[in-house]
Amino acid sequence: MQLQVCDTDMIFTDDYCGWPGAAHDARVLRNSPLFHDAETRTNDIFPGKMYIIGDAAYPLKTWLMTGFKDNGYPTAQQKRFTNCLRSNRMVIECGIRLLKGRFWKSKVMVDIDRIRFLPKLVIAACTVHNFCIYSNDEIDNFLQPLDDDDDANNFVNISADDNNAVRKRAEIMEMIG
């Protein structure tokens, strides 16, 4: 099951769920309420310099910063910027690893006859996970290795890069150095 957005504290803030894990991340985003809201109410949801960090699978938007695609000739500054985003994006992978670690038994609990309840189970797990984070629970016992399925070569272009987003990314890159 696909999930979206978590914050820097590993709290899942957008629990849009129900797409199979094989669905491309960009397609899931494009069909989510978050995408619709962000596209129609960008300034309300992402005022000023606020944005979400995404990997190369996502389109560049003013509200969704992505690194530069490696066309074979990235500048040193573009490489630094992309690496900075990548390192900051690791929090989502840690959040997913924690979620999977906390609820690893739920993988075997889902009966094929009840598969339609899986999205509700995932959302419930996210809610409990968030509660655990807010409660400062001990997390070391839950950590499991996470397979890295971030495959930038499977980019699905759901829309062309937004010119304003290109300028915003350039401004952020300049601030990083």
Side-chain angles (χ1 to χ4, degrees):
M1 288 275 135
Q2 292 275 8
L3 277 175
Q4 292 183 159
V5 191
C6 87
D7 67 13
T8 56
D9 295 321
M10 292 184 277
I11 300 291
F12 287 92
T13 59
D14 184 58
D15 299 339
Y16 179 64
C17 180
W19 286 75
H24 195 279
D25 295 349
R27 178 166 294 176
V28 175
L29 174 66
R30 179 74 173 96
N31 288 283
S32 72
L34 172 66
F35 187 87
H36 173 74
D37 291 344
E39 287 290 290
T40 58
R41 299 182 17 235
T42 304
N43 294 333
D44 295 336
I45 299 172
F46 299 100
K49 297 190 182 284
M50 293 183 67
Y51 54 88
I52 296 173
I53 296 173
D55 64 27
Y58 296 105
L60 176 63
K61 300 285 188 177
T62 56
W63 56 271
L64 177 59
M65 281 295 114
T66 62
F68 289 87
K69 295 174 190 76
D70 188 351
N71 58 8
Y73 304 101
T75 67
Q77 192 176 28
Q78 289 173 335
K79 286 180 183 178
R80 274 194 310 278
F81 177 80
T82 300
N83 287 336
C84 183
L85 287 186
R86 185 177 294 129
S87 67
N88 283 297
R89 204 181 66 240
M90 295 303 284
V91 73
I92 185 73
E93 304 204 12
C94 291
I96 290 171
R97 189 174 78 186
L98 274 176
L99 180 69
K100 285 181 176 181
R102 281 193 172 103
F103 301 102
W104 66 271
K105 284 192 175 187
S106 64
K107 289 182 186 179
V108 295
M109 291 174 26
V110 178
D111 178 321
I112 196 69
D113 295 330
R114 297 197 172 110
I115 198 89
R116 68 183 184 274
F117 295 113
L118 189 56
K120 290 180 181 180
L121 179 64
V122 172
I123 298 297
C126 288
T127 302
V128 173
H129 164 86
N130 288 351
F131 179 78
C132 291
I133 297 287
Y134 287 130
S135 300
N136 296 317
D137 73 332
E138 291 292 321
I139 60 173
D140 293 338
N141 296 333
F142 299 114
L143 298 178
Q144 305 274 332
L146 180 64
D147 294 333
D148 185 13
D149 60 1
D150 180 14
D151 188 1
N153 295 327
N154 288 332
F155 177 73
V156 173
N157 189 3
I158 60 174
S159 64
D161 288 346
D162 176 328
N163 286 334
N164 290 329
V166 170
R167 282 192 293 278
K168 183 173 183 177
R169 179 171 64 183
E171 289 171 13
I172 296 168
M173 183 176 62
E174 287 295 323
M175 288 188 315
I176 291 173

